[in-house]
Amino acid sequence: MAASFSTFCFFLVEDWDPSFDVSEYFLIAHSMKHVVKILTLVVAVSAFWVALLQTSVIPPNQTWLLPIYFIVSLGCYGLLMVGIGVMRFPTCPQEALLLQQDIKEAKEYLKGRGIDVGSD
Amino acid sequence: MEEEKNKNKYSVIVPTYNERLNISIIVYLIFKHLRDVDFEIIVVDDGSPDGTQEIVKQLQQVYGEDRILLRPRAKKLGLGTAYIHGLKHASGNFVVIMDADLSHHPKYLPSFIKKQLETGASIVTGTRYVKGGGVHGWNLMRKLTSRGANVLAQTLLWPGVSDLTGSFRLYKKSVLEDVISCCVSKGYVFQMEMIVRASRKGYRIEEVPITFVDRVFGSSKLGGSEIVEYLKGLAYLLVTT
């Protein structure tokens, strides 16, 4: 966490513009490297988690487990998406047949024009 | 009717290596499906030993040397530089990039052009993963790796495009020149880098469904080293885009 946070600060410094005003915010956000956007999200979520720990809105022994729940649900999301994707993978067997017809048609035409289509 | 108003010229760049039969079929099918459009075909052949270039010269006799341009290179130098090489000789204001192995069917070219005219997009990319699109000839393992790679890239990069590694695309010529100049990756990652960089630069990207018929068994086998290269490419794009 400490390592990723220092990387985050490094990118912030790299993108830092001293003549900053609010209208330029979106420009800067646009020039942010993608990894910085993701780390910003991670930091924001971590801050929220730390706040939960500090204020004890829910029992701390449950709050401690939240990151594990988060990682597990992220993994489940990934597996679910891959599973659904494979099950509903669009296939097109009829296209293979159509292509064979097109190849035959092209070969006949090209042969008539004296082009060598004999061997693959 | 719409095409009568279309004053654009399209340069179709087809990189080849040992495609003597496929290139003639591709050329025939392009001429069949692009009737009322001004276009040229640029074949970038990497010194194929099977006589691909002789066939292209025969095709030039039939269709005209101004419609089919043969721009060979001495040896196999990679896909990215083949596009750059073809691009140098392109006279159209739009460029189409497609594979020569017939996995990309020219019958989809009109839908690329139509989509571009309707939306004014800078890039129209073919996608296999939506309704109307699809893949033929992939086994379960290939589907699994493809899906895994896609979910990973979608989750990490938020590219706004459903098919990142497909290479059947139509570009505004100036946009392709701009994007290709900052791409350094190879293979699958190259296609992904092109579309992610274009997306980050704010170019408008639209998608059309295409089908992908894999006829050469084993050509799309993904080994461990390809997966490692893919993950490295993903990490590279995370920190540089």
Side-chain angles (χ1 to χ4, degrees), chain B residues 55-167:
Chain B
I55 297 289
V56 175
K57 282 170 193 156
Q58 291 177 13
L59 288 163
Q60 285 178 323
Q61 298 306 311
V62 174
Y63 291 101
E65 283 183 32
D66 56 329
R67 307 302 298 281
I68 303 175
L69 284 66
L70 176 60
R71 296 292 180 266
R73 301 190 295 173
K75 60 178 165 64
K76 234 181 161 172
L77 292 165
L79 214 50
T81 54
Y83 297 147
I84 294 170
H85 183 81
L87 200 50
K88 273 188 242 163
H89 302 283
S91 65
N93 51 338
F94 284 92
V95 174
V96 174
I97 282 174
M98 61 190 294
D99 290 353
D101 61 1
L102 293 176
S103 56
H104 296 157
H105 199 297
K107 71 182 169 192
Y108 295 108
L109 288 171
S111 65
F112 278 80
I113 291 170
K114 188 160 167 266
K115 187 68 149 184
Q116 198 287 322
L117 288 174
E118 279 171 7
T119 62
S122 297
I123 301 175
V124 180
T125 179
T127 176
R128 300 162 285 189
Y129 302 137
V130 297
K131 201 166 175 287
V135 173
H136 178 74
W138 281 8
N139 61 16
L140 184 65
M141 199 56 208
R142 187 70 186 78
K143 286 178 184 171
L144 199 65
T145 34
S146 163
R147 276 306 189 189
N150 211 296
V151 167
L152 208 58
Q154 295 291 345
T155 311
L156 291 176
L157 293 172
W158 318 340
V161 181
S162 66
D163 189 347
L164 288 167
T165 51
S167 53

Side-chain angles (χ1 to χ4, degrees), chain B residues 27-56:
Chain B
V27 166
Y28 169 81
L29 290 172
I30 292 174
F31 275 90
K32 181 183 169 188
H33 290 283
L34 285 184
R35 291 212 181 270
D36 307 311
V37 180
D38 187 14
F39 71 94
E40 64 186 358
I41 302 170
I42 302 171
V43 181
V44 180
D45 185 70
D46 278 5
S48 303
D50 76 337
T52 301
Q53 292 179 29
E54 275 67 55
I55 297 289
V56 175

